[in-house]
């Protein structure tokens, strides 16, 4: 299994541009998450999904959108990129039996720089 | 409100020293899980351990050990005989049963530097 994969690994955006961060998992996990990690900080939840077609906001959703059309994929869309969105973005997934207790497994991260 | 505090921002030790990373959490739930993740310089997040709120037994895995004390709301992580490869940022995280979406609350992380 590849686990959780993310593309691209690194991207530079200009202010106002848009982009989609891709995330895929092959572990048949129902739950998927997007986090951002700012320098010297822990991770903060942006959006999460409990299954295909179901998404909900996390702690810091402003400026982002998500969709979940399949179990495997959970793309994160940035509209009108701003310097405050410079961060490392991590996608994670977990098994859905009892959500709070299942371990989340993380992708390798996407480093985004907005100039 | 739920919160995880890792008061040690940076720790530097010499190889073979023992080191303890502190984690203190706040929660109103009686059912919750605690986690430790390792983030090496390469940047990925590596799962180390999960502990539920009903199991206060300490756990040992090789050079790693964890001490969970509900009385002090702490879940500390000790590395025995540290090695250079242990150099990383370590995160403690909390997941509450009542938290919709299985959200993980992360501490700010402790950067451990092990010098040869």
């Amino acid at each position: 299994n590849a686990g959780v994969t993310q593309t691209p690994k690194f991207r530079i955006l200009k202010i106002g541009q848009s982009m989609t961060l891709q995330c895929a998992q092959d572990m048949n996990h129902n739950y998927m998450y997007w986090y951002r990690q700012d320098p010297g900080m822990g991770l903060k939840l942006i959006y999460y999904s409990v299954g295909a077609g179901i998404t909900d906001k996390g702690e810091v959703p402003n400026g982002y959108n998500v969709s979940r059309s399949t179990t495997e994929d959970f793309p994160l869309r940035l509209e009108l990129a701003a310097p405050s969105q410079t961060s490392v973005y991590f996608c994670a997934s977990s098994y859905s039996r009892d959500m709070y207790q299942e371990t989340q497994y993380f992708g390798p991260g996407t480093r985004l720089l907005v100039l | 409100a739920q919160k995880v505090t890792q008061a040690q921002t940076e720790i530097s030790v010499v190889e073979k020293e023992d080191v303890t990373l502190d984690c203190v959490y706040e929660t109103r739930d009686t059912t919750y899980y605690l986690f430790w993740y390792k983030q090496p310089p390469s940047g990925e997040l590596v799962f180390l351990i999960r502990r539920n709120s009903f199991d206060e037994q300490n756990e040992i895995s090789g050079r790693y050990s964890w001490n969970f004390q509900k009385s002090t709301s702490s879940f500390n992580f000790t590395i025995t005989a540290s090695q250079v490869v242990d150099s990383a940022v370590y995160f403690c995280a909390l997941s509450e049963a009542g938290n919709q979406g299985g959200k993980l609350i992360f501490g700010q992380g402790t950067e451990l530097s092990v010098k040869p």
Side-chain angles (χ1 to χ4, degrees), chain A residues 33 37 48 100-101 103-104, chain B residues 31 33 37 39 50 95 101-102:
Chain A
Y33 310 84
Q37 182 183 21
Y48 65 95
Y100 76 94
Q101 69 182 58
T103 299
Q104 292 183 22
Chain B
T31 305
Y33 269 70
Y37 284 88
Q39 187 175 43
R50 178 184 71 204
S95 179

Side-chain angles (χ1 to χ4, degrees), chain B residues 9-80:
Chain B
T9 304
E10 297 178 11
I11 299 177
S12 183
V13 299
V14 177
E15 208 170 17
K16 298 185 183 177
E17 283 186 30
D18 298 347
V19 58
T20 295
L21 310 181
D22 297 333
C23 173
V24 175
Y25 62 92
E26 296 176 26
T27 178
R28 280 183 273 191
D29 272 12
T30 56
T31 305
Y32 53 89
Y33 269 70
L34 294 163
F35 300 80
W36 277 94
Y37 284 88
K38 174 182 179 180
Q39 187 175 43
S42 51
E44 74 273 23
L45 280 157
V46 179
F47 165 72
L48 295 177
I49 191 172
R50 178 184 71 204
R51 172 68 66 199
N52 75 53
S53 54
F54 300 109
D55 182 2
E56 289 195 68
Q57 282 191 339
N58 292 335
E59 181 151 345
I60 298 174
S61 176
R63 296 184 296 107
Y64 295 171
S65 63
W66 291 269
N67 181 280
F68 176 31
Q69 293 194 337
K70 287 179 75 171
S71 60
T72 57
S73 296
S74 65
F75 185 43
N76 296 338
F77 173 31
T78 296
I79 302 175
T80 302

